[in-house]
Amino acid sequence: MNAPVKIFSTIQSNRTIYVFDLVFKQLLGINYDLVSDTETAHLIYSNSNQTESSVNIPICSELLNSTGVEPIDIPYKYSGVETILFPNENSKSGEWNFDLFSAIFYLVSRYEEYKGFEPDAHHRFPPEASILHKTQSFEFPLVNIWVQNLKNELLAHWPDLKFTEPKFKSISTIDIDSTFQYREKGFFWSLSGILKDIFKGDFEAVSDRLKTVFRFQKDAFDVFDELKKLHQKNQTEVIFFWLLADYASFDKNINWKNRQQALVIKSQSETHSIGIHPSYQSNSKKELLNKEILRLETITNQKTVKSRQHFLVHKFPDSYQNLIRCEIKEDYTMGYTSQYGFRAGIASPFYFYDLSSEKATDLLLYPFCSMDITPLHYYKLTPEQAIEKNHELLKKVKAVNGTFISLWHNESLSGKLRWKGGWKKVYEQLIKDAYELTLKS
């Protein structure tokens, strides 16, 4: 059995144990022991008791020795990949110049999302309110980079330490807000759609709708067979998140009892993971979450343990507490619609730490860093530029042995509506690039 890292820390709290577990057990694949003797320590987390033979991390904040949440100004230095939080102004050359563990905890606990910000129109935390916006570092997995630097310094002191950190992997996640574009919508909905298309003069849409409804052509959103071939060829891990809500302004899938939809879901569940896509309404009506989960389980005859919030609407800690109550084990909401990169500064799964109860939970959060709508609507990129952006992010995640997660929709993979003009190729190239990087791991 590999020898553990020995840590001397003058702070021992739930917060420090959580961040030590994340850094050493989860990201570096090595156990650690808390020791009371600085002479035997590999790492000292203290402002005193430091030794020349150890790696010394300064304490520059009371964050890990505190409880509760109060809005605080976070000191930082530099920007981009060089960003550090809680800097040590008294550091000397060759020493750690910031409070590594407070910085990591601040980012992954999502401390800044609890209070002290102006929410957007959907009551979400806006990226502009984040410290990562101020430091222009969203597109860098800072936590992973910092941890890799720590590993390298530990190895420079003690080359016999053995790390078994996770390997790079890629996961494609696809949200199904509407299983079909035109099929299974009912007579009155279809008639209303035809009249609207005629009024707009969009006779191509009228033709497509009629051909689809009368089964002369396949529904454009029914991309599942084509995706299956692409994913099999590139050995892609895929998770589908299905919206099975009651109809409302922001929840517009067909009735969850629809037989054709159920057949599609059941078919996909035989080869892929299926998660629930909790409705927009469920954020204000918490009882809906369990109801929607039961619907999915009725269709798949499987336990539902994965989730991603519709519209990425979630609130700390309420949304995650509700997921835990409903026995969800993995959530994939951690990311932004309008911003590329790493919302929590990390490119690896991490456990939700509930600041309201000051304890770690068993809910594992999977952050995504690339979403279909981001380059099209917010960055105004061409498909070629979006392909290059994804490739850049893939390489950054690969460099730190992280997990690259993308978010797409069956609509965006249809090549219809606003997704004409090569956006489907963006996804296809992403899957191919991810596979090639995985082979090199």
Side-chain angles (χ1 to χ4, degrees):
M1 188 173 182
N2 295 339
V5 174
K6 296 179 180 179
I7 302 174
F8 176 87
S9 173
T10 52
I11 300 177
Q12 294 188 24
S13 63
N14 285 351
R15 294 184 177 189
T16 53
I17 296 302
Y18 168 78
V19 77
F20 288 162
D21 283 352
L22 171 62
V23 170
F24 295 101
K25 293 182 178 180
Q26 295 161 233
L27 297 182
L28 291 178
I30 191 169
N31 285 320
Y32 69 89
D33 287 337
L34 295 175
V35 298
S36 57
D37 181 5
T38 59
E39 296 304 316
T40 64
H42 298 107
L43 184 150
I44 294 177
Y45 183 47
S46 172
N47 286 330
S48 57
N49 306 307
Q50 297 182 348
T51 68
E52 292 185 1
S53 62
S54 63
V55 174
N56 300 296
I57 307 293
I59 297 174
C60 304
S61 168
E62 286 298 308
L63 183 64
L64 298 187
N65 206 28
S66 304
T67 59
V69 182
E70 291 297 333
I72 54 177
D73 290 327
I74 305 301
Y76 63 88
K77 292 182 69 174
Y78 316 122
S79 62
V81 70
E82 302 295 330
T83 296
I84 57 174
L85 309 182
F86 303 105
N88 179 14
E89 301 297 343
N90 299 316
S91 64
K92 300 176 183 178
S93 177
E95 295 180 345
W96 275 83
N97 61 348
F98 72 107
D99 186 337
L100 170 68
F101 299 116
S102 289
I104 291 175
F105 182 81
Y106 181 79
L107 290 178
V108 299
S109 70
R110 306 310 301 131
Y111 193 99
E112 62 188 0
E113 296 200 36
Y114 277 75
K115 58 175 65 175
F117 64 90
E118 186 69 28
D120 69 8
H122 295 289
H123 310 287
R124 301 174 299 193
F125 178 81
E128 294 78 15
S130 175
I131 187 67
L132 298 180
H133 174 76
K134 295 177 183 178
T135 58
Q136 301 177 355
S137 53
F138 269 124
E139 294 184 24
F140 301 94
L142 292 179
V143 172
N144 301 82
I145 292 169
W146 296 337
V147 171
Q148 288 290 308
N149 291 340
L150 175 63
K151 182 191 78 169
N152 292 337
E153 187 162 351
L154 286 168
L155 284 174
H157 284 76
W158 295 278
D160 292 336
L161 287 173
K162 302 295 183 184
F163 300 93
T164 56
E165 55 200 299
K167 292 183 178 181
F168 166 78
K169 68 182 296 188
S170 174
I171 304 174
S172 172
T173 64
I174 302 175
D175 292 352
I176 313 298
D177 298 344
S178 184
T179 306
F180 303 112
Q181 182 182 18
Y182 296 135
R183 282 185 57 188
E184 309 301 318
K185 298 298 179 74
F187 174 78
F188 290 106
W189 188 94
S190 298
L191 179 60
S192 174
I194 290 173
L195 293 176
K196 288 179 181 178
D197 291 338
I198 292 174
F199 181 76
K200 291 186 294 184
D202 191 348
F203 297 103
E204 181 182 351
V206 173
S207 176
D208 277 347
R209 189 186 299 270
L210 291 172
K211 289 177 181 178
T212 303
V213 169
F214 289 106
R215 306 295 197 269
F216 292 115
Q217 68 181 24
K218 191 175 183 179
D219 192 279
F221 288 7
D222 185 1
V223 296
F224 303 103
D225 290 341
E226 189 175 351
L227 288 179
K228 183 177 181 180
K229 295 176 183 178
L230 176 67
H231 295 150
Q232 285 181 337
K233 181 178 180 180
N234 296 281
Q235 300 180 26
T236 308
E237 181 178 348
V238 184
I239 306 172
F240 289 99
F241 294 97
W242 239 283
L243 180 68
L244 297 175
D246 294 329
Y247 191 89
S249 297
F250 295 107
D251 303 312
K252 295 185 178 180
N253 201 6
I254 57 180
N255 190 287
W256 77 275
K257 295 180 180 179
N258 181 275
R259 183 174 179 273
Q260 295 302 316
Q261 175 176 250
L263 289 173
V264 173
I265 296 173
K266 183 67 175 176
S267 175
Q268 296 307 309
S269 71
E270 293 171 356
T271 53
H272 300 299
S273 294
I274 305 292
I276 191 64
H277 201 32
S279 64
Y280 191 98
Q281 304 168 76
S282 69
N283 290 282
S284 57
K285 302 176 182 178
K286 294 182 179 180
E287 70 279 1
L288 292 179
L289 175 60
N290 192 57
K291 182 179 179 181
E292 292 165 15
I293 290 173
L294 290 174
R295 289 173 176 177
L296 183 59
E297 292 178 345
T298 298
I299 294 171
T300 64
N301 198 31
Q302 298 175 5
K303 180 69 175 173
T304 298
V305 296
K306 303 177 191 290
S307 171
R308 174 185 284 128
Q309 298 294 116
H310 190 31
F311 274 72
L312 304 182
V313 178
H314 67 297
K315 178 183 178 182
F316 281 87
D318 307 56
S319 299
Y320 289 136
Q321 289 174 342
N322 201 26
L323 292 176
I324 291 170
R325 279 193 291 269
C326 293
E327 300 182 357
I328 294 294
K329 299 299 182 183
E330 300 175 6
D331 184 74
Y332 292 74
T333 308
M334 187 59 64
Y336 293 113
T337 300
S338 60
Q339 174 69 54
Y340 274 117
F342 309 94
R343 181 168 179 158
I346 187 171
S348 302
F350 60 98
Y351 288 98
F352 166 52
Y353 186 92
D354 190 341
L355 288 169
S356 69
S357 60
E358 289 296 345
K359 65 179 182 181
T361 72
D362 63 356
L363 177 63
L364 196 56
L365 308 182
Y366 284 77
F368 70 87
C369 64
S370 176
M371 184 176 177
D372 50 12
I373 194 65
T374 309
L376 172 68
H377 185 70
Y378 295 96
Y379 280 55
K380 308 298 183 184
L381 302 183
T382 64
E384 291 73 24
Q385 290 171 325
I387 287 172
E388 181 58 32
K389 176 65 75 173
N390 281 332
H391 193 63
E392 291 174 6
L393 289 170
L394 276 166
K395 290 191 292 184
K396 289 174 182 177
V397 176
K398 173 71 164 59
V400 295
N401 299 310
T403 299
F404 181 96
I405 300 177
S406 62
L407 191 171
W408 286 72
H409 295 78
N410 60 324
E411 176 188 330
S412 57
L413 297 169
S414 70
K416 295 289 186 177
L417 305 174
R418 57 185 168 179
W419 300 104
K420 296 178 180 180
W423 288 98
K424 186 177 179 181
K425 292 181 180 179
V426 177
Y427 180 75
E428 293 171 345
Q429 190 62 51
L430 170 61
I431 295 302
K432 294 174 184 176
D433 289 346
Y435 179 52
E436 290 177 2
L437 284 178
T438 302
L439 292 176
K440 296 176 183 179
S441 297

